[in-house]
Amino acid sequence: MREGGQSNCDWDLILARLETLRHADGSVNLTYESDEEEDYKSLSVHAQNDHYFIVFNDKENDEDVRRVCFDSNTAYSKYEMQGYAWDSRTIFTDYELIYDVFKQFFETRNVISPRIVQKQNN
């Protein structure tokens, strides 16, 4: 595991970095790399004004797959965050989701959540 340039970081370091995002702007990225190219995975969260955007990059059948938090019940609009216009359906305010997803990735190198889905086109 790598976080911010550190190999094999521990959960307390990751949690401390995530806590800095609770009411601040910034990003945290957690990457898993192995000697096998197909084992590369990453999880990142971007934050601004208590709004968050999660991206989970994985491989499935040798294809790169990008998953995000996505709420299909929210109407489509644009949300400006960190200088980019994001699909508002991918922006959320539930900090606990960040904790849960990062803890799961740290422990299993995977993310399984009904809220983290392959990005739908629209």
Side-chain angles (χ1 to χ4, degrees):
M1 292 282 197
R2 296 180 58 81
E3 187 276 328
Q6 297 189 14
S7 293
N8 299 320
C9 55
D10 65 11
W11 176 246
D12 291 334
L13 174 62
I14 296 166
L15 185 57
R17 298 280 173 99
L18 293 175
E19 284 293 324
T20 64
L21 293 182
R22 191 177 280 265
H23 302 294
D25 299 351
S27 304
V28 173
N29 184 50
L30 190 59
T31 302
Y32 171 76
E33 297 174 348
S34 76
D35 293 336
E36 306 289 326
E37 185 177 314
E38 64 271 2
D39 282 347
Y40 175 84
K41 299 178 180 198
S42 69
L43 178 67
S44 59
V45 60
H46 306 276
Q48 183 174 309
N49 298 327
D50 295 323
H51 288 76
Y52 309 102
F53 174 76
I54 286 181
V55 179
F56 174 50
N57 293 300
D58 196 3
K59 286 207 180 248
E60 229 174 62
N61 301 321
D62 293 325
E63 297 289 324
D64 291 332
V65 176
R66 182 177 194 224
R67 294 187 171 91
V68 298
C69 183
F70 187 83
D71 184 357
S72 60
N73 295 319
T74 300
Y76 173 81
S77 66
K78 291 290 184 176
Y79 183 84
E80 176 100 13
M81 186 167 134
Q82 294 186 341
Y84 296 96
W86 302 90
D87 180 339
S88 62
R89 298 172 297 179
T90 64
I91 305 296
F92 62 99
T93 58
D94 178 10
Y95 178 82
E96 294 307 313
L97 177 63
I98 296 168
Y99 176 90
D100 293 343
V101 169
F102 269 79
K103 183 72 170 169
Q104 186 180 92
F105 184 75
F106 181 77
E107 292 176 348
T108 69
R109 292 183 222 119
N110 201 7
V111 173
I112 299 171
S113 169
R115 294 180 60 187
I116 307 294
V117 299
Q118 191 163 345
K119 175 69 171 79
Q120 306 296 313
N121 292 329
N122 174 295

